[in-house]
Amino acid sequence: MKEENNTPKNKWSRIFRKKWFFPAVYLTIAALLLSVVVWYQNLDNQIQETEDDQSSETYTPAEHDEEAQSVMDQQEVIKMPVVNQDQAEIVTNFYDYNADQEAKENALVMFNNRFYQSTGIDIASADGETFDVLASLSGTVTEVREDPLLGNVVALSHKNDVVTYYASLQGVNVKSGDKVQQGDVLGNAGENMFGQESGTHVHFEIRKDGKEVNPESFFNQPVSALDEASTEDESSESEGTEDVGTESEVTEEESSESEGTEESTDESGTGAEDVSGGQNSQNANVEDGN
């Protein structure tokens, strides 16, 4: 019995006496420790990557967003205020003093037996039906009113002192103070008393620094083109101005001619210039002479 009980102890004693036993134990413990260290490092890296992914998803850099929005504003181009430009027809042009005689005649509006210079363009559809009028540029609605001569009127303000103006609207979908994006529907084209000859249309104007410009010259161009054109106009005006002295005497004939020349502005606020008053006066003088 004693021999049987001592057998396991003798086996372990023999194992302990082996030269390789303790080195093997040390190597095993070292391998375990090394495995724990490697596992801990991998776990830390995974946690760090997870935190980085979460922070990148929730982080919204406001400064970069504002810069991107500013770039988009600069890239916005001026569009014709209609859905389908191919079906649109410009029936009345902008009156340009530098245009030829035929173009000037096509830019006159007949109202109450007088001719007025068009300060914008009249756009109609090829089939003569009504159509949606769109915002040519993104901006803020600054004016919505109903005019007895011009129909419903909507004005939008934009950056850099640019204003777009829409008249002869049959219905209006916006109100003053609304923020609109380019292409939003402002209303529908209709008829008005001032532009009866244009039928169903929208009267569209672009104003830069309070001065009307020819919309046809700036369609599909960036808004910055208006700044460049304004700078060129100011430069040409300054170059064309010459000091030729002051005349001390004016003949009676020149004085009478200057007093007889009158210009009238449309009372409804269109800014159109009356160009028929002088012709009517001349016709009256001819009849009296006869």
Side-chain angles (χ1 to χ4, degrees):
M1 294 293 293
K2 293 181 179 180
E3 293 179 355
E4 293 178 359
N5 293 332
N6 292 331
T7 299
K9 294 181 179 180
N10 292 333
K11 290 181 178 180
W12 282 108
S13 297
R14 292 175 184 174
I15 294 174
F16 291 154
R17 291 173 184 173
K18 298 293 185 180
K19 294 181 178 179
W20 52 266
F21 177 78
F22 289 103
V25 173
Y26 296 149
L27 290 175
T28 302
I29 295 173
L32 291 174
L33 292 175
L34 182 61
S35 299
V36 171
V37 171
V38 172
W39 173 81
Y40 181 81
Q41 290 180 347
N42 291 334
L43 181 62
D44 186 59
N45 291 335
Q46 291 177 358
I47 294 174
Q48 185 66 29
E49 291 177 357
T50 303
E51 292 177 352
D52 292 340
D53 293 339
Q54 293 178 352
S55 63
S56 63
E57 292 176 357
T58 58
Y59 176 66
T60 54
E63 295 182 357
H64 295 291
D65 289 346
E66 293 176 356
E67 293 178 359
Q69 183 67 29
S70 177
V71 172
M72 290 300 294
D73 291 342
Q74 293 177 0
Q75 293 178 352
E76 191 172 64
V77 298
I78 303 171
K79 295 293 185 180
M80 185 180 288
V82 296
V83 177
N84 190 349
Q85 296 186 18
D86 296 334
Q87 297 296 323
E89 180 181 358
I90 298 177
V91 294
T92 302
N93 298 101
F94 175 83
Y95 191 91
D96 187 352
Y97 289 94
N98 297 323
D100 56 28
Q101 186 62 29
E102 182 179 358
K104 289 181 179 180
E105 292 177 358
N106 293 333
L108 295 176
V109 179
M110 170 71 105
F111 176 72
N112 198 20
N113 294 326
R114 293 184 178 183
F115 288 100
Y116 295 85
Q117 299 171 354
S118 175
T119 54
I121 59 175
D122 291 348
I123 305 173
S125 62
D127 55 10
E129 300 295 330
T130 186
F131 53 90
D132 289 338
V133 177
L134 311 182
S136 178
L137 291 169
S138 301
T140 303
V141 180
T142 56
E143 181 183 15
V144 176
R145 63 183 174 89
E146 184 177 357
D147 190 280
L149 295 181
L150 304 177
N152 289 310
V153 176
V154 174
L156 302 182
S157 66
H158 315 277
K159 294 182 178 180
N160 300 330
D161 294 325
V162 176
V163 174
T164 53
Y165 179 89
Y166 312 77
S168 187
L169 298 179
Q170 180 177 349
V172 178
N173 298 343
V174 295
K175 62 182 182 299
S176 182
D178 286 350
K179 303 287 186 180
V180 298
Q181 298 297 319
Q182 185 180 55
D184 288 351
V185 178
L186 303 179
N188 307 103
E191 298 182 1
N192 62 8
M193 295 183 61
F194 186 75
Q196 289 182 353
E197 295 183 357
S198 297
T200 301
H201 71 284
V202 58
H203 177 77
F204 177 67
E205 296 182 9
I206 299 178
R207 301 170 182 173
K208 169 62 178 172
D209 297 328
K211 181 180 180 181
E212 296 86 359
V213 299
N214 187 355
E216 292 185 74
S217 301
F218 297 97
F219 284 144
N220 299 320
Q221 294 193 35
V223 181
S224 58
L226 291 171
D227 296 330
E228 297 174 359
S230 178
T231 303
E232 291 178 358
D233 291 341
E234 292 178 356
S235 176
S236 61
E237 289 178 0
S238 62
E239 291 177 357
T241 303
E242 296 180 359
D243 185 9
V244 293
T246 303
E247 296 183 356
S248 58
E249 295 180 356
V250 179
T251 63
E252 293 181 359
E253 181 180 358
E254 291 173 346
S255 177
S256 61
E257 289 178 356
S258 62
E259 293 175 357
T261 303
E262 296 180 353
E263 292 181 353
S264 62
T265 303
D266 181 27
E267 296 178 356
S268 60
T270 61
E273 182 180 351
D274 182 8
V275 298
S276 61
Q279 296 177 356
N280 293 336
S281 298
Q282 292 177 1
N283 293 334
N285 293 334
V286 172
E287 292 177 358
D288 293 340
N290 293 335

